[in-house]
């Protein structure tokens, strides 16, 4: 009987918006395969497919979910995919979207870790990713403009985005401080009846001022499975905490705290709860610990791992899989080095991403319920504006490190940022990026065509000896 009820409820959920699990699987697979360029590129791909092309959810609902994911530790793009997958097809849909989002990255980074451990960097692979970066950069820039045009609806929102960009790019203000400050600005601006925030409640369920949710397949109403319940929350917490922490405890009990796999499990579990602001916020700390404290990596190898993560699909934080692989590869114990590396990489990935499902499945029902809260909507509107500035920061950071070979740190209080050395510009990277931008902005070329053309151009340049 429970099985029949479950099947019936799933059918009803599918019928409400008309998107089958099979179609969702195909769409999330496409999103995963095209999720290059760090969080900015991944959010851009998701926005184009889920909001613009498929019309599954409205712009307002997409940004509401994104704002919540920005508040969480861990990779916001992967959590956003999990959130929307859960909205569309319950827990199964969330697991499917979240897991698919990281599978291409797991496979690609694992394969490249094998190659790196055995041979070092392979030029032809580097050339392929050289072209890929140019296309991703153009896609990211388009996303910044498209999301900014829709989210920055007045001068105050534009000012918040600009302040967020200056704070994070030039002043190195921690990401959580920027988001909390933006939320407070929105909340108090609404309380004091500031005109720019009086429309924040327009997207609340039941409001007379309807958003574009009416044109989305999910609609404006709160799905039945998205209603918060204490019993459900306790069950979700128990299940996902067990999936996350039981393997960690089992390793500690079975192999001891000095064992390499125990160290990987504990270290990356800690990272999973402090990675506010995504991978960029903790990479320096991880690099220092992996190189100086644990001796897992040699100096400079963290940058190689970051390069691999930047140019493969999936969240940038997938670099932690590379770190876990190299840690176990160099300390294999009784196992073959490659086998130990495989286990180490997969273990790092498990303890990094399992908590992401906990944050979404536990918190999303309450966040959905609060979409009608005027104060929260105002706070989230301000966060949305700040997020545009943060995404612009990510885009420029990605551009600087893609187009210029050398950057120098600038530390002149209050400034703290990496400045490109203009004479180190890579003319071919710049030319490919401009070509990709023209293809997307002027000729409205599709993502797959642009990515494919740039990858092919990268390989041709390598064969000609230009790069």
């Amino acid at each position: 009987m429970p099985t029949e009820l479950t099947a019936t409820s799933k059918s009803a959920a599918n019928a409400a918006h008309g998107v089958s699990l099979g179609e969702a699987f195909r769409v999330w697979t496409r999103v995963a395969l095209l999720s290059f360029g760090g969080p900015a590129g991944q959010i851009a791909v998701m926005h184009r497919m889920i909001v613009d092309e498929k019309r599954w959810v409205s712009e307002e609902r997409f940004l509401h979910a994104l704002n919540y994911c920005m508040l969480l530790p861990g990779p916001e793009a992967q959590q956003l995919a999990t959130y929307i997958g859960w909205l569309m097809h319950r827990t199964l849909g969330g697991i499917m979207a979240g897991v698919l989002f990281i599978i291409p990255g797991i496979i690609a980074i694992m394969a490249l870790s094998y190659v790196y451990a055995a041979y070092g960097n392979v030029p032809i692979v580097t050339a392929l990713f050289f072209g890929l970066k140019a296309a991703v950069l153009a896609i990211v820039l388009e996303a910044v403009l498209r999301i900014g045009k829709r989210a920055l609806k007045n001068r105050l929102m534009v000012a918040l985005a600009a302040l967020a960009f200056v704070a994070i790019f030039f002043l190195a203000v921690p990401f959580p401080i920027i988001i909390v400050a933006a939320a407070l600005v929105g909340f108090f601006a609404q309380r004091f009846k500031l005109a720019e925030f009086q429309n924040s409640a327009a997207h609340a369920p039941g409001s007379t001022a309807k958003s574009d949710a009416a044109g989305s397949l999910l609609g404006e109403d709160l799905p039945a499975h998205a209603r918060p319940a204490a019993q459900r929350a306790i069950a979700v917490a128990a299940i996902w905490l067990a999936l996350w922490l039981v393997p960690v405890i089992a390793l500690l009990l079975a192999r001891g705290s000095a064992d390499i796999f125990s160290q990987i499990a504990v270290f990356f579990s800690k990272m999973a709860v402090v990675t506010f602001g995504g991978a960029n916020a903790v990479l320096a700390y991880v690099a220092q610990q992996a190189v100086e404290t644990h001796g897992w990596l040699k100096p400079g190898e963290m940058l190689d791992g970051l390069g691999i993560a930047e140019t493969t699909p999936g969240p940038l934080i997938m670099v932690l899989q590379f770190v876990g692989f190299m840690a176990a590869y160099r300390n294999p114990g009784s196992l073959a080095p490659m086998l130990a590396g495989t286990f180490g990489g997969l273990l790092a990935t498990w303890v990094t991403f399992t908590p992401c499902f906990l944050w979404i499945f536990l918190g999303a029902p309450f966040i959905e319920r609060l979409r009608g809260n005027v104060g929260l909507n105002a706070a989230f509107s301000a966060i949305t504006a700040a997020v545009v500035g943060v995404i612009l920061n990510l885009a420029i950071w990605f551009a600087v490190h893609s187009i210029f070979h050398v950057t120098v740190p600038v530390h002149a209080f209050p400034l703290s940022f990496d400045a490109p050395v203009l004479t180190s510009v890579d003319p071919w990277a710049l030319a490919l990026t401009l070509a990709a931008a023209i293809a997307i902005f002027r000729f409205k070329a599709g993502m797959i065509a642009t990515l494919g053309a740039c990858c092919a151009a990268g390989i041709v340049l390598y064969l000609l000896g230009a790069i």
Side-chain angles (χ1 to χ4, degrees):
M1 187 65 176
T3 303
E4 293 176 6
L5 288 174
T6 302
T8 302
S9 61
K10 286 181 180 178
S11 298
N14 289 347
H17 50 63
V19 180
S20 68
L21 271 174
E23 182 183 353
F25 180 87
R26 291 188 291 273
V27 170
W28 289 120
T29 300
R30 281 186 64 207
V31 169
L33 292 173
L34 297 175
S35 61
F36 295 91
Q42 293 149 8
I43 292 167
V45 169
M46 224 179 309
H47 185 274
R48 173 178 274 194
M49 288 191 186
I50 302 301
V51 178
D52 291 340
E53 294 180 8
K54 298 297 182 179
R55 302 289 299 170
W56 282 2
V57 298
S58 65
E59 178 83 18
E60 179 266 333
R61 206 156 201 164
F62 182 90
L63 293 176
H64 183 84
L66 175 59
N67 288 332
Y68 172 60
C69 295
M70 282 285 186
L71 297 174
L72 299 173
E76 57 268 36
Q78 187 266 351
Q79 290 167 337
L80 179 60
T82 305
Y83 192 120
I84 296 174
W86 166 79
L87 268 180
M88 297 294 292
H89 293 102
R90 304 171 180 254
T91 302
L92 179 59
I95 294 173
M96 179 176 69
V99 170
L100 281 174
F101 194 86
I102 61 176
I103 282 180
I106 291 174
I107 296 171
I109 289 182
M110 188 62 73
L112 291 175
S113 296
Y114 290 153
V115 173
Y116 186 90
Y119 308 107
N121 285 320
V122 177
I124 192 69
V125 176
T126 303
L128 177 72
F129 290 144
F130 176 87
L132 189 63
K133 286 183 185 179
V136 169
L137 180 53
I139 292 170
V140 169
L141 292 174
E142 186 208 19
V144 172
L145 293 175
R146 188 170 63 249
I147 295 175
K149 186 184 297 184
R150 298 180 183 182
L152 308 181
K153 298 178 181 178
N154 54 60
R155 291 181 180 179
L156 181 54
M157 297 296 189
V158 173
L160 282 173
L163 286 172
F165 170 74
V166 170
I168 197 168
F169 187 85
F170 289 106
L171 306 178
V173 176
F175 175 82
I177 292 178
I178 293 172
I179 296 301
V180 170
L184 291 174
V185 168
F187 179 79
F188 284 107
Q190 197 282 326
R191 289 291 297 270
F192 288 106
K193 309 298 182 183
L194 211 61
E196 288 84 352
F197 285 88
Q198 290 310 296
N199 293 326
S200 296
H203 302 313
S207 171
T208 55
K210 294 296 182 181
S211 69
D212 64 341
S216 67
L217 296 179
L218 188 64
E220 179 70 8
D221 294 334
L222 185 67
H225 68 274
R227 293 169 186 157
Q231 185 177 1
R232 177 193 172 279
I234 292 171
V236 166
I239 291 170
W240 288 97
L241 281 171
L243 289 171
W244 173 19
L245 296 178
V246 166
V248 177
I249 295 170
L251 280 171
L252 286 169
L253 293 176
R255 304 179 70 94
S257 59
D259 180 76
I260 186 62
F261 296 108
S262 297
Q263 292 177 6
I264 290 171
V266 171
F267 179 73
F268 291 112
S269 288
K270 292 178 182 178
M271 291 301 96
V273 297
V274 300
T275 50
F276 293 96
N280 290 317
V282 295
L283 284 179
Y285 175 74
V286 171
Q288 182 184 38
Q289 292 292 308
V291 175
E292 298 178 9
T293 304
H294 296 288
W296 293 341
L297 300 179
K298 298 175 183 176
E301 287 184 337
M302 187 69 185
L303 288 177
D304 291 336
L306 181 58
I308 291 172
E310 282 177 350
T311 50
T312 51
L316 189 58
I317 207 169
M318 289 296 300
V319 68
L320 300 185
Q321 177 177 299
F322 173 80
V323 176
F325 179 96
M326 295 305 297
Y329 175 81
R330 293 207 167 108
N331 302 275
S334 60
L335 299 176
M338 285 295 186
L339 181 60
T342 302
F343 288 154
L346 293 178
L347 177 60
T349 300
W350 179 266
V351 296
T352 296
F353 286 97
T354 303
C356 297
F357 294 96
L358 170 64
W359 314 143
I360 297 300
F361 295 144
L362 183 60
F366 298 95
I367 294 299
E368 278 295 302
R369 187 72 171 181
L370 289 172
R371 280 199 313 126
N373 184 285
V374 175
L376 183 67
N377 283 335
F380 270 14
S381 294
I383 291 174
T384 297
V387 164
V388 174
V390 172
I391 295 176
L392 178 60
N393 157 72
L394 293 170
I396 293 178
W397 182 89
F398 185 57
V400 166
H401 289 83
S402 297
I403 295 175
F404 297 91
H405 292 298
V406 181
T407 60
V408 294
V410 175
H411 298 295
F413 185 82
L415 300 178
S416 180
F417 64 97
D418 289 336
V421 176
L422 298 182
T423 55
S424 71
V425 65
D426 188 323
W428 289 113
L430 180 60
L432 267 182
T433 300
L434 291 174
I438 292 171
I440 289 176
F441 285 98
R442 176 67 178 85
F443 298 104
K444 309 299 180 185
M447 283 186 296
I448 295 177
T450 306
L451 288 166
C454 287
C455 287
I459 293 175
V460 169
L461 289 171
Y462 167 72
L463 294 175
L464 294 175
I467 59 173

